[in-house]
Amino acid sequence: MRTLVLGIGNLLLSDEGIGVRIVEALEERFSLPENVDVIDGGTSGMEILQDIAARDLLIVADAVRSQHEPGSIFVLHDDDVPALFTQKISPHQLGLSDVLMALRMTDEFPRKLILVGIEPASLAPSMSLSDIGQQSMEIALEQVVNILREHGITVTPKEVTA
């Protein structure tokens, strides 16, 4: 199963960078099989088209305005994901929406698309997550690991060295 875990966001705007922080933690703390790619998509748009094309499973981690309490985490599947990005909170979301639309038109849309969205508590200029964002990042990381495991992918914690 060709799988991609994609973290998107702007690391300069506090919780807006939470998706990138999630994939950083995933790579740092877990070993994944060779058929699973983990990419920091930053604020990329069409540049990530080929990375996403024809995946069996695409998991996107991102900060998303959802009118829920700050720190809320939600998981959306397949056609619900592109619809969400019509309400953008940052420039990269328009890019992801465009990429997904292009992939649908070329018959390269991922077979399964899952968004792990986190309601940001702060979008203020800062390279650090807010306290709420940090707590939510840990829970969202667990969600990503669980989704991978639910799809039969072995996710092994790396040994912590002192």
Side-chain angles (χ1 to χ4, degrees):
M1 176 183 290
R2 291 194 44 211
T3 300
L4 172 62
V5 181
L6 175 67
I8 53 178
N10 187 335
L11 294 177
L12 301 176
L13 298 175
S14 189
D15 294 348
E16 222 293 302
I18 201 164
V20 173
R21 298 295 184 207
I22 289 168
V23 297
E24 288 174 345
L26 180 66
E27 286 189 303
E28 180 181 308
R29 299 180 199 172
F30 297 93
S31 295
L32 301 166
E34 284 185 18
N35 64 331
V36 177
D37 295 318
V38 178
I39 295 178
D40 166 356
T43 57
S44 300
M46 292 303 240
E47 305 88 59
I48 59 174
L49 183 73
Q50 290 307 313
D51 294 316
I52 296 174
R55 293 287 180 159
D56 295 307
L57 174 62
L58 171 61
I59 302 169
V60 178
D62 192 14
V64 179
R65 283 267 168 99
S66 63
Q67 307 307 316
H68 290 92
E69 289 294 314
S72 296
I73 298 167
F74 52 94
V75 179
L76 298 176
H77 298 265
D78 301 316
D79 290 336
D80 293 335
V81 176
L84 178 70
F85 285 118
T86 60
Q87 301 176 331
K88 69 181 187 123
I89 61 169
S90 63
H92 71 266
Q93 288 180 331
L94 181 59
L96 182 62
S97 179
D98 291 341
V99 168
L100 293 173
M101 186 181 308
L103 291 172
R104 181 145 344 256
M105 291 179 0
T106 61
D107 266 349
E108 294 179 299
F109 198 82
R111 285 188 39 225
K112 183 78 179 154
L113 170 61
I114 300 173
L115 169 74
V116 177
I118 304 94
E119 180 75 35
S122 171
L123 298 176
S126 173
M127 291 193 63
S128 300
L129 296 176
S130 68
D131 290 342
I132 291 171
Q134 184 64 43
Q135 292 168 4
S136 297
M137 187 213 66
E138 295 298 331
I139 296 166
L141 175 60
E142 287 178 34
Q143 288 277 349
V144 169
V145 168
N146 289 336
I147 291 166
L148 288 167
R149 288 179 174 150
E150 288 167 8
H151 286 84
I153 297 167
T154 303
V155 181
T156 309
K158 290 181 179 176
E159 290 187 28
V160 179
T161 56

